[in-house]
Amino acid sequence: MSSTLECKRAATQVVKSLGLQADLTARAVVLAAADSTVGSSLRDLIQLNEDDPALKALVEEFLREMSTGDGQPTTKVIQDLRDEIRLLRSDFAARHTDAKSIAFSLVSGVAASQLLRDLRLTEADGFEEAPFETPAGVNDIDTFDFSQFVNEDAGTPSFVEYHHNQLQACGVRMGRSGYKVLDLHKTPMYHVEIGNNRYSGGVDGGVVPYAVRAGSAAELLRIGFEHKQSTADKATFRMNHPDVLQAEVAAPRQYSFKEGRGQVVCCLLAAHAMCQLPLDLDLTDGQQHHLLRLRGDLLLVYEGCTPTQAYHEMADVLIRQGPLLTSKLTRLEPPAELEEELRKPIKKLKGLVQGYSAV
């Protein structure tokens, strides 16, 4: 018997032993037979804490939804299940961590939703709640090709340069008395306590006033960029560079907002607790841009922006903040002339989100 067949048979037995309802067991068996790692992942997830009914219920709910069947290819179903398991594992880790800091990248969507509830913030569709318009007649902005790079870290310096060029082309003043875009993916930035948990992390790139150095970017960030290389781009790099040792890529596809939602929501909350002005956060794989911003008690999400939409909107924000660059450069409180809708989330989060020393 081949090792692959043995793995699939073992995974099937594992799934049958989970004690799920009959219809869910049947669905899980099909998935496990298609990919043995699914069965192992389900087993590991539930065995993390056999006495945690909430965790098991989340797995069962997801399997129940998947069991209805909507014509999705098997690879898509498997990838969705893997994503959900990863998010649930992150949530489990967050809920069972004491004094240890939780990295933004490990914050699940479930945990992010709880943070928003705790802070009395409402997540809303930005296009519906506060739509913006891209200037008429502008040229389309090309996407960033992440498939040229082996991973996100390798591509970040080029992506940062790309951000600079696109914002400048959209009318943002770069250089003295203007802005610059920093590579921040190795810079420690935010260490905060929200409720009973500690969180830490930063962004991959960021727009700051020109005179600001990386060490002070956390307090003076204007726009943060979180870079994610899609599995489609990873697969393309793997195909074009067979000589480079890489992990196998399953189900090549575009990066979705759902996958990075927990990370960017937590980062945005932390940043507003430390910054002097409101900022936007851009979660992007180079093809699509998911913009997040806080206005009053709303977290506005502009999911699936094109590069043209995203860079013109970010440029508009930076241009409007331009007059505050010199006189308010080092103030860590929002300036008095800032409208209340923009001041409110900063004041609120400075009171509810506490910083702590990472030393």
Side-chain angles (χ1 to χ4, degrees):
M1 185 185 298
S2 69
S3 58
T4 300
L5 186 58
E6 289 177 353
C7 286
K8 290 183 176 180
R9 178 168 293 180
T12 300
Q13 293 302 314
V14 165
V15 169
K16 288 181 177 178
S17 71
L18 292 176
L20 303 175
Q21 296 176 17
D23 60 327
L24 302 182
T25 297
R27 181 62 172 169
V29 166
V30 172
L31 293 170
D35 189 331
S36 59
T37 60
V38 173
S40 298
S41 296
L42 277 169
R43 176 200 61 193
D44 293 343
L45 177 68
I46 293 176
Q47 287 184 348
L48 281 173
N49 186 349
E50 294 178 353
D51 298 324
D52 188 346
L55 194 62
K56 184 173 179 179
L58 286 170
V59 179
E60 292 180 353
E61 179 182 356
F62 181 76
L63 283 172
R64 185 175 293 105
E65 291 176 359
M66 300 306 295
S67 69
T68 60
D70 57 2
Q72 297 184 86
T74 301
T75 53
K76 174 67 164 59
V77 173
I78 291 172
Q79 188 61 47
D80 282 347
L81 183 54
R82 280 176 169 166
D83 291 344
E84 190 72 8
I85 289 171
R86 179 181 62 79
L87 293 175
L88 290 171
R89 275 179 166 160
S90 298
D91 184 51
F92 180 89
R95 289 188 289 111
H96 293 269
T97 299
D98 297 321
K100 196 181 295 184
S101 174
I102 303 165
F104 292 164
S105 59
L106 294 179
V107 177
S108 70
V110 175
S113 296
Q114 187 60 53
L115 286 177
L116 293 174
R117 285 192 291 271
D118 292 345
L119 296 172
R120 298 186 181 279
L121 294 170
T122 300
E123 185 174 355
D125 184 335
F127 292 115
E128 294 294 330
E129 190 68 32
F132 59 75
E133 293 185 4
T134 302
V138 298
N139 295 326
D140 287 340
I141 296 176
D142 291 335
T143 57
F144 178 78
D145 185 6
F146 231 145
S147 69
Q148 303 176 74
F149 306 96
V150 65
N151 56 34
E152 291 160 8
D153 285 352
T156 283
S158 295
F159 210 169
V160 165
E161 183 179 0
Y162 169 89
H163 297 317
H164 172 105
N165 293 338
Q166 303 314 317
L167 290 170
Q168 187 172 47
C170 290
V172 176
R173 180 171 183 169
M174 294 293 183
R176 192 177 300 275
S177 298
Y179 299 94
K180 64 183 176 184
V181 188
L182 293 175
D183 180 346
L184 299 169
H185 80 284
K186 294 184 179 179
T187 302
M189 295 185 70
Y190 301 116
H191 302 275
V192 297
E193 291 183 357
I194 307 177
N196 296 321
N197 289 321
R198 289 182 168 186
Y199 302 90
S200 61
V203 293
D204 291 317
V207 180
V208 296
Y210 181 72
V212 175
R213 294 174 63 88
S216 293
E219 293 81 12
L220 294 155
L221 196 66
R222 296 296 187 261
I223 292 174
F225 296 100
E226 185 59 42
H227 302 157
K228 297 297 180 182
Q229 188 181 37
S230 68
T231 54
D233 283 337
K234 292 179 187 292
T236 299
F237 183 91
R238 181 184 177 88
M239 180 178 65
N240 294 335
H241 300 83
D243 55 316
V244 179
L245 182 62
Q246 304 156 72
E248 185 175 351
V249 178
R253 61 196 175 98
Q254 196 168 350
Y255 192 85
S256 70
F257 173 68
K258 175 184 175 182
E259 294 174 81
R261 175 177 171 270
Q263 179 178 358
V264 292
V265 167
C266 192
C267 183
L268 189 70
L269 297 175
H272 272 78
M274 297 185 67
C275 280
Q276 57 154 330
L277 286 172
L279 64 138
D280 285 0
L281 204 55
D282 179 16
L283 172 66
T284 177
D285 64 357
Q287 306 294 313
Q288 284 191 329
H289 296 255
H290 311 293
L291 299 182
L292 287 82
R293 59 176 50 147
L294 287 171
R295 294 293 184 269
D297 289 320
L298 295 179
L299 166 62
L300 300 177
V301 178
Y302 298 86
E303 184 175 349
C305 296
T306 66
T308 305
Q309 290 175 308
Y311 286 106
H312 278 284
E313 176 60 17
M314 289 187 284
D316 183 62
V317 170
L318 293 171
I319 292 169
R320 283 189 281 111
Q321 288 187 1
L324 300 173
L325 277 176
T326 53
S327 62
K328 305 298 188 298
L329 178 63
T330 57
R331 283 179 55 171
L332 297 183
E333 295 295 327
E337 60 266 41
L338 199 64
E339 57 187 279
E340 181 59 25
E341 184 184 45
L342 302 180
R343 292 169 57 86
K344 186 174 181 179
I346 298 176
K347 293 190 296 183
K348 180 176 187 174
L349 291 174
K350 282 184 184 296
L352 296 176
V353 179
Q354 308 298 320
Y356 72 91
S357 173
V359 178

